[in-house]
């Protein structure tokens, strides 16, 4: 029997979430039953999509339940096993985040082969956010030679991988992010034009200056004003991969807009939303590309780390304040 701390949803946020929406609880985890293993989590991820699961409405993932531990990606180590498929010391990648330890049937868990990478990479560039970037840019936006690419939330987990893949493939990349540190990081990973949208009076004008010949691909992580600016700066037949709209996740009421959506008609723009879990069949193709880029030193892994389960809500809230560079992670041990 071990004790495990976990983060539960205490109340559903209205508008910007706060620490009061979460509670830390301690539970006991018994020895694993036959067929089960006990896992101690080492890393967990916090992601913007979790905000949507805090709302009690049907979506592509079920809502979190009040009083229950939250769920999300985690990398853990098997510490006790009652099944021959997994042994103590094995690493597993699961959706049992937001807690320190848990028991689960071995048949439901997949052993993680890290291929020499640090395990937390599988919550970032080599995991869901990396796949999101790869799918959105190469399959949804269907990147083609000569495209000028605009990326919002460019210094984040998904955005920084999008920028790097586009640079690896030889494109001109414009990245928007908030703050000088993020701008310096974007320059370091090869982004051609950086827009600090927090310091720019007029985002559309800044984008038109950065892309005097227009843009062909917009990878949207933010929505709102960024999407409007991209619609204005887009060339005919531009493709927009609508990945996320974080600027809208905490609004109490759905805003009007984008006000200039009619540009999509005249410019024949294709706007396509996507959810990465509908593209998990592409994992092998993605992993082949990504492992090659990492091995060849073409892709930089950037992480912001909070420590301890008690700081997981803080890590989550920082996503909405822009206080993460690259992937936001929580180290649990
Ligand atoms: N479709 C899918 O399957 C899928 C999968 C994964 C992620 N996503 C989406 O992809 C986007 C990025 O996710 P991520 O995990 O990579 O997060 P992230 O970019 O690492 O972190 C979120 C970033 O969003 C920016 N941000 C927050 N509030 C903002 C606002 N009001 N206006 C403009 N920027 C704001 C902040 O950067 P700044 O400092 O630059 O403002 C912050 O660092 C999110 O919209 C997420 O929901 C979608």
């Amino acid at each position: 029997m071990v004790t495990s701390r976990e983060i539960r949803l205490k109340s559903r946020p209205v508008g910007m979430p706060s620490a009061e929406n979460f509670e830390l609880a301690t539970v006991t985890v018994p020895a694993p039953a036959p067929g089960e293993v006990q896992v101690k989590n080492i890393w967990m991820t916090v992601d913007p999509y979790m905000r949507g699961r805090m709302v009690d409405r049907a979506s592509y993932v079920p809502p979190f339940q009040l009083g229950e531990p939250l769920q999300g990606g985690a990398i853990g180590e098997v510490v006790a096993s009652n099944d021959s498929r997994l042994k103590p010391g094995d690493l597993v990648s699961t959706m049992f985040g937001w807690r320190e330890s848990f028991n689960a049937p071995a048949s439901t868990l997949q052993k993680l082969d890290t291929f020499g990478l640090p395990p937390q990479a599988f919550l970032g560039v080599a995991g869901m956010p990396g796949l999101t970037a790869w799918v959105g840019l190469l399959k949804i936006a269907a990147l083609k030679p000569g495209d000028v690419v605009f990326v919002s939330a460019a210094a984040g987990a998904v955005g920084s991988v999008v920028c790097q893949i586009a640079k690896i493939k030889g494109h001109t990349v414009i990245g928007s992010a908030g703050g000088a540190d993020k701008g310096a990081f974007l320059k370091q990973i090869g982004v051609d034009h950086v827009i600090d949208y927090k310091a720019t009076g007029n985002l559309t004008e800044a984008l038109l200056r950065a892309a005097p010949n227009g843009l062909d691909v917009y990878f949207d992580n933010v929505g709102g004003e960024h999407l409007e600016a991209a619609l204005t700066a887009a060339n005919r037949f531009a493709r927009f991969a609508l990945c996320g709209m974080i600027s809208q996740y905490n609004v109490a009421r759905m805003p009007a807009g984008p006000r200039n959506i009619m540009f999509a008609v005249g410019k024949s723009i294709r706007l396509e939303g996507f959810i990465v879990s509908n593209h998990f069949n592409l994992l092998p193709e993605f992993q082949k590309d990504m492992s090659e880029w990492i091995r060849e030193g073409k892709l930089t892994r950037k992480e912001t780390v909070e420590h301890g389960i008690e700081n997981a809500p803080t890590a989550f809230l920082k996503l909405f304040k822009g206080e993460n560079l690259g992937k936001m992670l929580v180290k649990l041990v």
Side-chain angles (χ1 to χ4, degrees):
M1 184 112 75
V2 299
T3 60
S4 168
R5 293 178 303 159
E6 62 187 30
I7 301 290
R8 297 178 179 169
L9 185 64
K10 189 175 170 194
S11 57
R12 297 197 183 279
V14 178
M16 185 65 86
S18 70
E20 284 68 48
N21 299 125
F22 302 89
E23 65 183 340
L24 180 67
T26 303
V27 295
T28 55
V29 181
E36 285 188 344
V37 293
Q38 188 164 98
V39 176
K40 194 177 171 70
N41 277 334
I42 305 169
W43 291 94
M44 60 163 271
T45 168
V46 289
D47 299 279
Y49 80 89
M50 293 168 175
R51 176 64 182 86
R53 295 192 70 183
M54 292 173 186
V55 180
D56 192 14
R57 68 163 174 241
S59 184
Y60 63 95
V61 271
F64 293 133
Q65 296 303 309
L66 290 177
E68 296 286 326
L70 299 168
Q71 295 154 17
I75 306 289
E77 182 184 333
V78 173
V79 289
S81 176
N82 246 331
D83 191 285
S84 58
R85 277 170 280 199
L86 289 167
K87 58 179 192 315
D90 284 346
L91 291 180
V92 286
S93 174
T94 78
M95 286 302 285
F96 290 105
W98 295 91
R99 70 204 73 190
E100 292 177 315
S101 295
F102 63 92
N103 289 344
S107 58
T108 64
L109 303 180
Q110 194 81 43
K111 185 177 162 181
L112 177 72
D113 188 341
T114 62
F115 300 102
L117 284 177
Q120 71 273 25
F122 292 85
L123 299 173
V125 294
M128 184 278 279
L131 177 63
T132 304
W134 185 92
V135 165
L137 187 64
L138 303 182
K139 304 295 178 185
I140 305 299
L143 188 70
K144 61 179 188 341
D147 282 341
V148 172
V149 179
F150 175 45
V151 186
S152 54
V158 173
S160 62
V161 178
V162 176
C163 291
Q164 294 185 81
I165 296 176
K167 284 313 300 175
I168 288 168
K169 294 192 172 283
H171 294 263
T172 298
V173 178
I174 303 157
S176 168
D181 288 354
K182 292 191 178 188
F185 166 65
L186 290 176
K187 283 283 178 194
Q188 195 190 317
I189 61 172
V191 169
D192 302 279
H193 305 282
V194 172
I195 297 175
D196 177 354
Y197 76 95
K198 288 185 177 166
T200 301
N202 186 316
L203 178 59
T204 300
E205 281 173 12
L207 183 56
L208 289 169
R209 273 195 304 276
N213 297 318
L215 54 93
D216 307 294
V217 164
Y218 174 43
F219 194 104
D220 191 14
N221 287 315
V222 165
E225 204 190 338
H226 278 82
L227 179 53
E228 289 188 351
L231 282 162
T232 298
N235 288 328
R236 288 174 69 216
F237 305 109
R239 287 92 61 214
F240 285 23
L242 304 182
C243 173
M245 301 209 177
I246 195 166
S247 73
Q248 321 280 296
Y249 293 176
N250 299 311
V251 296
R253 289 182 48 181
M254 281 285 179
R259 293 164 297 183
N260 56 352
I261 188 69
M262 72 171 185
F263 286 153
V265 180
K267 298 185 189 188
S268 302
I269 299 170
R270 176 163 63 77
L271 298 104
E272 185 173 342
F274 71 101
I275 292 295
V276 66
S277 51
N278 293 329
H279 301 274
F280 280 164
N281 60 313
L282 296 171
L283 256 173
E285 203 186 326
F286 157 72
Q287 281 166 342
K288 188 174 160 293
D289 277 355
M290 186 52 77
S291 53
E292 221 170 273
W293 293 331
I294 293 175
R295 206 175 39 247
E296 291 169 1
K298 290 181 175 165
L299 207 128
T300 300
R301 222 184 68 244
K302 194 78 185 173
E303 291 153 0
T304 301
V305 179
E306 289 286 323
H307 292 266
I309 189 78
E310 65 279 15
N311 289 315
T314 304
F316 175 72
L317 297 173
K318 284 185 172 186
L319 293 171
F320 301 98
K321 299 180 199 145
E323 291 175 12
N324 63 303
L325 191 50
K327 181 73 198 102
M328 179 56 101
L329 295 168
V330 184
K331 180 123 173 46
L332 298 176
V333 287

